[in-house]
Amino acid sequence: MSTEDKSVRKRYEQLADELARQILDGVLRPGDRLPSVRATCEARQLSPSTVFQAYYLLEAKGLVRAMPRSGYFVNSHAKKRAPEPARSTPREGAHAVDITDLVFEVLGAAKSREIVPLGSPCPHPQLFPLDALRRSLTTSTRKLSEWSAVDDLPPGNERLRQQIGKRYLAHGLDLSLDEIVLTNGAMEALSLSLQAVARPGDAVVVESPCFYAALQSLERLGLVAIEVPTHPGEGADLSELARIVERDKPKACWFMTNFQNPLGCSMSREKKRALVQLLARHAVPLIEDDVYGELYHGGRAPDSAKTFDRSGLVLHCCSFSKSLAPGYRVGWVAAGRYGREVRRLKLMTSLSGSIPAQAALADYLQQGGYDRHLRRLREVLSNQKQALVDAVTRHFPVGTRLTRPEGGYFVWADLPWEATDAMTLHRLALAEQISIAPGPMFSNQGDFRNCLRLNFGHPWGPQLEKAVQTVGRLARPRPRQHVPPAPVDDRAI
């Protein structure tokens, strides 16, 4: 990044911070119109792009909303934001993983469609262009060559990899097609990446809390986990990571740098650069789980850590499951220097992905409707996020802390210590036909017993509002029953 780029970024962040303080202090009140972009440019001697970036950042934080042809206005809920949770403090050192039974217990209990899906790991199917995908599936299947079973062996369908390569290019990354390996969803991409860089008994650094499937993958492959303290707004603590890399000599890191599951946090561009440079100095591979990167709620796409990779140590894993086609199970990894090893592991593990699904997605992307779909999806998710945050603010116990995701579809709620234990709350909510994702399933150590992950990927309505109200009621500490003192026997005095 040039010096000019750094100063521009600093100016738009300073402007956003100043306006945010005015909103939270009540200087700018709900319904107030922000100064126009032109007026702000003239008053502060800033460029229009700097002002727009500041306003986009405020919009992503839920403080303001854009009204077509009218400008930006302070949201009605802006002064009621819950405080943010604190940085996590996991136990130091490498530890064996034992999480799968708990994950299966929680997920298996909430599979019914009758259950309100606050704890679901998935967004609602109606958010995706299923009819257009069916047409692409029909068209592409009709055109499949009889040799496609051979031609589309790893690294996978060439047309689809070309489309993926174009999207990387739009983000400033010129990748070789041979580096992109198509997989059965992102989970296979992540698992193959782990196998390419680590062996049983090796240590892998993960965030705390982290996506439970990351812990399951480590458990299945006989790897041990080192949990790094993680800030709910800024991601992994790099100073602590530097200590871990020096002390424990991990073989890899598995991080979500954009809209992390479950926190929703993102690393800044500068922090991603610093992360890649730190790991490159020690030759530690980074497995970057970036499945939510397309689901940003503001006006600017976030960079991946892969953007700053100059040594081929970043294995960038993505999927269409969160942004376009959940049931198609098509993911990929841009594997850097590990491309050949990942291709071989793919052949040995599952031979090939779904050839019709890959062909259908290649056809859909060539039609040119993906970015239009993403714009609608981001707007819907941003609105649903605000509805969920507002409901939690109204109904959860006083003292509840919330993360402030600027993308994805998860919010992390940190309940006051005296509230109902998260696992107990999970079972009480299930009895009311409501699912939640309790904090301990995101920790190798059973931590976060007062935390929940909540999903805003489903259309908001009275059912979800009532469900949040019910969970809030169940979470409140039970009043202690008054026990009268034992009667005094006067005769014993």
Side-chain angles (χ1 to χ4, degrees), residues 226-447:
I226 304 172
E227 294 177 281
V228 64
T230 304
H231 188 277
E234 303 168 3
D237 185 321
L238 295 194
S239 61
E240 289 294 328
L241 177 62
R243 289 179 58 246
I244 289 169
V245 170
E246 290 281 0
R247 183 190 66 215
D248 297 304
K249 313 297 182 190
K251 292 298 183 182
C253 293
W254 175 333
F255 287 172
M256 283 189 177
T257 60
N258 291 316
F259 319 127
Q260 190 252 15
N261 179 2
L263 291 174
C265 61
S266 295
M267 289 185 178
S268 67
R269 178 182 172 88
E270 288 77 13
K271 193 167 183 178
K272 289 168 185 165
R273 185 199 301 273
L275 168 67
V276 172
Q277 291 174 344
L278 166 65
L279 296 181
R281 286 196 297 272
H282 297 272
V284 176
L286 171 63
I287 299 171
E288 184 179 18
D289 184 351
D290 198 19
V291 295
Y292 302 103
E294 293 278 21
L295 303 183
Y296 55 93
H297 298 168
R300 183 179 181 276
D303 293 301
S304 63
K306 182 74 173 176
T307 304
F308 307 105
D309 183 23
R310 301 294 178 266
S311 53
L313 283 168
V314 178
L315 298 93
H316 185 249
C317 300
C318 285
S319 169
F320 292 108
S321 296
K322 311 301 182 187
S323 61
L324 178 62
Y328 284 49
R329 304 302 306 152
V330 175
W332 71 90
V333 52
R337 66 168 70 173
Y338 301 98
R340 180 173 180 270
E341 180 66 16
V342 170
R343 286 196 300 275
R344 295 179 67 180
L345 286 165
K346 171 64 180 171
L347 273 166
M348 291 188 291
T349 303
S350 55
L351 188 62
S352 170
S354 169
I355 292 169
Q358 291 180 13
L361 289 176
D363 181 85
Y364 177 84
L365 292 176
Q366 283 184 320
Q367 302 303 318
Y370 186 36
D371 285 307
R372 186 168 59 250
H373 155 69
L374 285 174
R375 285 192 293 271
R376 288 195 297 264
L377 178 59
R378 292 170 192 140
E379 182 178 4
V380 168
L381 289 175
S382 180
N383 292 336
Q384 291 175 181
K385 172 189 69 179
Q386 204 53 63
L388 174 64
V389 168
D390 289 348
V392 170
T393 303
R394 283 193 298 272
H395 300 304
F396 271 43
V398 173
T400 296
R401 296 171 176 265
L402 287 177
T403 56
R404 300 161 188 170
E406 297 173 13
Y409 50 86
F410 295 120
V411 165
W412 183 252
D414 185 345
L415 302 175
W417 66 268
E418 68 272 15
T420 305
D421 172 87
M423 291 305 302
T424 302
L425 186 56
H426 155 67
R427 297 180 183 106
L428 291 172
L430 271 182
E432 302 275 354
Q433 297 292 290
I434 303 166
S435 74
I436 57 173
M441 69 189 294
F442 301 98
S443 167
N444 187 39
Q445 303 167 28
D447 292 339

Side-chain angles (χ1 to χ4, degrees), residues 63-327:
L63 292 175
V64 304
R65 68 188 186 282
M67 300 289 286
R69 294 182 294 277
S70 298
Y72 286 84
F73 293 81
V74 178
N75 273 328
S76 59
H77 56 268
K79 278 202 67 180
K80 303 174 184 176
R81 294 173 68 189
E84 196 171 59
R87 191 198 72 157
S88 64
T89 53
R91 183 169 43 134
E92 290 189 352
H95 303 278
V97 182
D98 183 12
I99 194 75
T100 296
D101 288 346
L102 173 60
V103 172
F104 283 171
E105 175 195 338
V106 173
L107 296 184
K111 289 175 66 175
S112 169
R113 292 189 192 179
E114 304 303 315
I115 291 178
V116 183
L118 287 175
S120 170
C122 305
H124 196 283
Q126 78 176 39
L127 297 178
F128 303 105
L130 300 181
D131 288 339
L133 287 168
R134 289 188 193 100
R135 290 193 293 271
S136 286
L137 181 60
T138 301
T139 300
S140 59
T141 304
R142 228 184 275 128
K143 297 177 182 177
L144 274 180
S145 162
E146 62 269 25
W147 289 102
S148 59
V150 176
D151 295 339
D152 292 346
L153 286 173
N157 184 287
E158 185 173 1
R159 287 173 59 222
L160 181 54
R161 288 186 293 117
Q162 287 172 344
Q163 291 296 320
I164 293 170
K166 289 179 181 177
R167 299 194 69 80
Y168 276 115
L169 197 58
H171 289 281
L173 275 167
D174 185 9
L175 301 182
S176 163
L177 286 190
D178 288 340
E179 183 180 344
I180 301 170
V181 182
L182 301 182
T183 58
N184 294 317
M187 279 311 307
E188 186 181 46
L190 293 156
S191 179
L192 295 175
S193 297
L194 270 179
Q195 293 173 68
V197 302
R199 299 292 178 266
D202 287 342
V204 176
V205 183
V206 297
E207 294 142 319
S208 173
C210 76
F211 180 35
Y212 52 78
L215 294 172
Q216 287 180 292
S217 293
L218 299 187
E219 181 179 352
R220 183 176 63 82
L221 296 173
L223 301 167
V224 295
I226 304 172
E227 294 177 281
V228 64
T230 304
H231 188 277
E234 303 168 3
D237 185 321
L238 295 194
S239 61
E240 289 294 328
L241 177 62
R243 289 179 58 246
I244 289 169
V245 170
E246 290 281 0
R247 183 190 66 215
D248 297 304
K249 313 297 182 190
K251 292 298 183 182
C253 293
W254 175 333
F255 287 172
M256 283 189 177
T257 60
N258 291 316
F259 319 127
Q260 190 252 15
N261 179 2
L263 291 174
C265 61
S266 295
M267 289 185 178
S268 67
R269 178 182 172 88
E270 288 77 13
K271 193 167 183 178
K272 289 168 185 165
R273 185 199 301 273
L275 168 67
V276 172
Q277 291 174 344
L278 166 65
L279 296 181
R281 286 196 297 272
H282 297 272
V284 176
L286 171 63
I287 299 171
E288 184 179 18
D289 184 351
D290 198 19
V291 295
Y292 302 103
E294 293 278 21
L295 303 183
Y296 55 93
H297 298 168
R300 183 179 181 276
D303 293 301
S304 63
K306 182 74 173 176
T307 304
F308 307 105
D309 183 23
R310 301 294 178 266
S311 53
L313 283 168
V314 178
L315 298 93
H316 185 249
C317 300
C318 285
S319 169
F320 292 108
S321 296
K322 311 301 182 187
S323 61
L324 178 62

